[in-house]
Amino acid sequence: MSWSKDKGRGHGPGEEEGRRGYHHGNLRETLIKAALDLIGEKGPGGFTFADAARWAGVSPAAPYRHFRDRDALMADVARQGFERFEAFLKTAWNEGRPDPFTAFNNLGKAYLAFARTEPAYFAAMFEAGIPLESNPELRQAGDRAFGILRSAAEALAEGLPKEGRPPASMMALHIWSISHGIASLFGRGDAARRKLPMSPEELLEAAVLIYLQGLGLHRQGGTKPR
């Protein structure tokens, strides 16, 4: 069933009858949009399945047509977030053009841009506590996004001697940790963002540069003189 603005129930704080404009046939996407609104207002753990239904302007039973429970809804939100995230990273990396160092810096900027412009998706992806083992589609979406970072690390690692070259997967995990930490603390698009005496992009670029130089890489893509 659907509700219109003219009938049904009264308005609670932050909630309007049929505010998502639900029409028959788009209930799944309407619920995802409702969840994103609620995440933005209350955080990923601050609302119930019934709240999402109310926000979408449908009956409490309606969401069960598409999602078994709240966790399933949140998993779908997170999956969509990772798909958007993958698109951000893929565009930024641009297959390593114009050169791996520049492209890698663009990758970091894209990570921060996603956290800033898509805070609700970012929270669903990394803060909702959705178990990946029971959500293979979500895990695969996350793996595809991380795969771009791993490919970038592989391209950079080619500038190091084969002997003693660190595994690209380990490099990618290190860079991911640095990027995610800076994004979570300083690059968010919500009220939890902390202030810095510099931009998050500048902080991330400096941190990654120090890390890569520690491995023996410099901006020209070669190695330090030995």
Side-chain angles (χ1 to χ4, degrees), residues 125-205:
M125 292 155 59
F126 298 114
E127 299 169 11
I130 303 299
L132 299 181
E133 293 76 13
S134 57
N135 292 278
E137 290 186 357
L138 173 58
R139 185 183 66 249
Q140 291 163 9
D143 288 346
R144 287 193 299 270
F146 177 71
I148 296 172
L149 190 56
R150 187 174 56 245
S151 296
E154 288 171 352
L156 286 172
E158 290 179 359
L160 291 168
K162 288 185 178 181
E163 293 183 6
R165 179 186 298 175
S169 57
M170 184 180 71
M171 288 177 59
L173 287 170
H174 288 162
I175 297 297
W176 184 19
S177 299
I178 295 169
S179 302
H180 190 78
I182 292 174
S184 296
L185 289 171
F186 308 113
R188 309 174 63 106
D190 55 27
R193 182 174 66 243
R194 295 170 182 262
K195 293 184 179 179
L196 271 176
M198 64 192 75
S199 72
E201 288 79 8
E202 290 171 331
L203 180 63
L204 179 57
E205 183 177 3

Side-chain angles (χ1 to χ4, degrees), residues 34-193:
L36 287 167
D37 279 352
L38 286 164
I39 292 168
E41 183 172 299
K42 302 181 179 183
F47 64 95
T48 65
F49 207 27
D51 290 334
R54 209 160 34 242
W55 202 260
V58 298
S59 71
Y64 290 97
R65 301 175 194 170
H66 294 285
F67 303 103
R68 70 175 183 278
D69 54 23
R70 181 187 180 282
D71 281 353
L73 170 60
M74 291 297 291
D76 215 31
V77 174
R79 177 190 57 78
Q80 284 197 6
F82 273 112
E83 289 173 352
R84 289 171 175 256
F85 189 47
E86 179 189 3
F88 262 63
L89 298 181
K90 186 175 182 179
T91 298
W93 174 239
N94 193 26
E95 298 183 347
R97 294 189 289 264
D99 62 82
F101 262 92
T102 301
F104 206 80
N105 187 42
N106 291 338
L107 204 55
K109 290 178 180 178
Y111 204 115
L112 295 175
F114 185 85
R116 183 180 298 114
T117 61
E118 301 286 4
Y121 275 122
F122 192 81
M125 292 155 59
F126 298 114
E127 299 169 11
I130 303 299
L132 299 181
E133 293 76 13
S134 57
N135 292 278
E137 290 186 357
L138 173 58
R139 185 183 66 249
Q140 291 163 9
D143 288 346
R144 287 193 299 270
F146 177 71
I148 296 172
L149 190 56
R150 187 174 56 245
S151 296
E154 288 171 352
L156 286 172
E158 290 179 359
L160 291 168
K162 288 185 178 181
E163 293 183 6
R165 179 186 298 175
S169 57
M170 184 180 71
M171 288 177 59
L173 287 170
H174 288 162
I175 297 297
W176 184 19
S177 299
I178 295 169
S179 302
H180 190 78
I182 292 174
S184 296
L185 289 171
F186 308 113
R188 309 174 63 106
D190 55 27
R193 182 174 66 243

Side-chain angles (χ1 to χ4, degrees), residues 1-11 15-24 26-27 30 50 52-63 65:
M1 67 182 288
S2 64
W3 298 73
S4 72
K5 291 186 178 181
D6 300 325
K7 58 184 180 179
R9 37 188 194 83
H11 304 332
E15 146 187 344
E16 302 162 357
E17 190 64 62
R19 66 174 293 153
R20 302 312 308 170
Y22 170 65
H23 299 285
H24 180 72
N26 70 348
L27 176 58
T30 299
R54 209 160 34 242
W55 202 260
V58 298
S59 71
R65 301 175 194 170

Side-chain angles (χ1 to χ4, degrees), residues 201-223:
E201 288 79 8
E202 290 171 331
L203 180 63
L204 179 57
E205 183 177 3
V208 171
L209 182 61
I210 291 169
Y211 173 79
L212 295 178
Q213 286 180 338
L215 294 176
L217 287 162
H218 58 79
R219 285 191 177 276
Q220 285 68 42
T223 58

